[in-house]
Every structure is written in C-alpha cells, then in structure tokens.
Amino acid sequence: MSDPILQLTDLTKGYNAGKPNEVRVLQGASLAVKAGEVVGLVAPSGAGKSTLLHIAGLLDTPDAGQVAIAGTDMTRLSDRRRTGVRRGAVGFIYQFHHLLPEFTALENIVLPQLANGMSEAAAQTRAMALLDRVGIAARASHRPDALSGGEQQRVAFCRALANEPTLLLADEPTGNLDPETSDRVFDVLIGLVRDTGLAAVIATHNMALAARMDRQVRLNSGVLEAL
Ligand code: ADP
C-alpha cells in the first residue's frame, strides 16, 4: 500500500514549558490522510487547530513526534529542504486571505510559482486557468481591496493550489464570510479538492460543512479522535 500523503504521529506541542503560564496544546496527536481524502478537523476555538495545521504544513515544529509527507520524515530534513517541500507540496489557506495588497489577483497566484522555479509565462497561464476554474477570471487584474470577501478567498484557494501541491491544509477557510457566501465558496473549495485528488485537512467550526467531508476528527485535550 502507498504511504499516506500526510502522517502525523504522536505530536506534542506546548508553550512556556515549566512556567506558571504553561500551555499544553498537543499531547500525542496522530492522523493519517491518504491522497484524495478530505478530513474535517473540528474543535472549539483555542483547542489547537491552528497549531496542528501549522505543524502539519511545516510552518512550525513540534516539541516531539513526527510529521511525514508522502512517506518522508520532515523532522529529519534540513531547513532548506523542508522549505522546498512546503513551497512545492503543501498548499495553505488561512481564515483571512493574506493576499499581498499591492499585487493583482493574478500576480498573487503567479508569485508562489516563480518562487518555486516556474517560468513567468507558464505561471500566468496556470494562474488564469485557476481563476477561471473558480469563476473569477474577469477579476484577474483587480487588487485584493477591489474584490469581495468571497472573491478574495477564491484567489487565496488558487494561490494555495498554484504549485500543484499534494496536500492542502485549510484553517477555517470560510470562517470570515457570511453564511450564504461561505456555503458557495465552500462548494468551490470542495470542487477544487475533488478535481485534483489532493489530500486535504480542513478545519471548521461548522458541523454542516464538516459533514460534507469524507470523515471528521476532533481535537480534544490535545489528541485527535474520530467523530
Ligand atoms: P485554535 O486554532 O484551535 O483556536 P490555537 O492553535 O491558535 O487554537 O491555540 C491553541 C492554544 O495555544 C491557545 O490556548 C493559545 O492561546 C495557545 N497559544 C498559541 N500560540 C501561542 C504562543 N505563541 N504562545 C503561548 N500560547 C500560545
């Protein structure tokens, strides 16, 4: 059997160890996600969803435990190689779009491809195809402040997928939108994930959205349990 795309094993993470304000966030969290599988991560605010996703996405390191992507233990790689995997294999979507305000929608999707070694022409072609796929090709030359919240988030989805990652991590990707827009934008996200066969972990407070994923896990007292 092939390795899972993402394998988290016994992750622990805390802050301020040994001090009165010590916080233990992860206390042995484990999860395996296969290609094409979409996992909903549910937990109340403050339970550690962002911490878990940042560690899975190589934006942060655990105190102990392992993060493997496509069978390779990331905790053993040099910083430079880990950055390479993060840029190429992992797409990240935040609750707030975090687009670069001085660049257009198209440029925001082109830039990560250039950083990953793609030619400008190929990057532009791919960026346009992605914008078209999420229904906003006509907004390509708009800057983020000239886009609606739902449009900004669609651009952020395109940016996350720009380098054809094998793993998508999303932290409350529609949490900042009104309920109707959230549902529509969520449809777009799920459609994209299903088209590409990505492994995805999508954190949400919204149980109706979580129910549309293949399975759900809850972060409870620092460990992940099936729902
Ligand atoms: P969630 O995404 O589920 O809301 P987070 O992962 O952001 O939760 O945070 C989990 C816990 O860790 C919270 O109690 C938060 O206050 C704490 N925390 C997060 N980052 C830090 C930090 N840099 N220093 C101290 N505590 C932190």
Side-chain angles (χ1 to χ4, degrees):
M1 225 186 74
S2 62
D3 287 315
I5 296 292
L6 175 67
Q7 175 109 47
L8 306 176
T9 310
D10 277 336
L11 294 179
T12 62
K13 179 75 173 178
Y15 299 100
N16 309 320
K19 299 196 184 135
N21 59 347
E22 176 169 1
V23 193
R24 292 193 182 166
V25 184
L26 303 180
Q27 303 194 69
S30 298
L31 178 70
V33 190
K34 294 181 291 191
E37 197 177 25
V38 183
V39 176
L41 171 62
V42 293
S45 188
K49 295 187 297 298
S50 301
T51 302
L52 183 83
L53 290 173
H54 286 162
I55 291 172
L58 313 179
L59 297 161
D60 197 358
T61 51
D63 295 335
Q66 246 190 21
V67 178
I69 294 183
T72 302
D73 180 1
M74 294 292 133
T75 46
R76 291 172 185 275
L77 293 189
S78 65
D79 284 351
R80 199 174 62 83
R81 288 195 55 206
R82 215 170 23 242
T83 301
V85 173
R86 193 179 71 229
R87 281 204 185 123
V90 183
F92 211 100
I93 300 168
Y94 301 87
Q95 179 173 359
F96 300 98
H97 57 77
H98 291 306
L99 297 172
L100 298 171
E102 66 276 36
F103 292 100
T104 65
L106 188 86
E107 288 163 346
N108 267 280
I109 306 165
V110 164
L111 287 169
Q113 297 181 76
L114 299 183
N116 202 37
M118 187 76 102
S119 75
E120 176 131 18
Q124 291 208 2
T125 303
R126 174 153 176 82
M128 266 325 285
L130 282 165
L131 284 170
D132 192 40
R133 172 66 185 76
V134 302
I136 53 169
R139 302 283 186 276
S141 61
H142 289 224
R143 294 221 166 88
D145 66 0
L147 297 170
S148 71
E151 289 169 344
Q152 289 166 344
Q153 215 45 346
R154 288 175 204 228
V155 177
F157 298 168
C158 295
R159 178 186 55 186
L161 295 179
N163 288 327
E164 301 188 66
T166 50
L167 173 64
L168 182 73
L169 301 168
D171 194 355
E172 304 267 2
T174 62
N176 188 36
L177 304 172
D178 65 78
E180 198 182 309
T181 309
S182 167
D183 279 354
R184 270 208 322 272
V185 170
F186 191 81
D187 284 342
V188 170
L189 177 60
I190 287 288
L192 276 172
V193 168
R194 298 290 184 203
D195 279 1
T196 48
L198 278 162
V201 181
I202 303 177
T204 180
H205 281 323
N206 183 326
M207 291 307 291
L209 296 184
R212 296 175 53 192
M213 303 183 212
D214 298 324
R215 64 190 169 94
Q216 295 77 33
V217 292
R218 177 170 42 206
L219 187 54
N220 188 19
S221 304
V223 299
L224 287 165
E225 52 192 33
L227 268 186

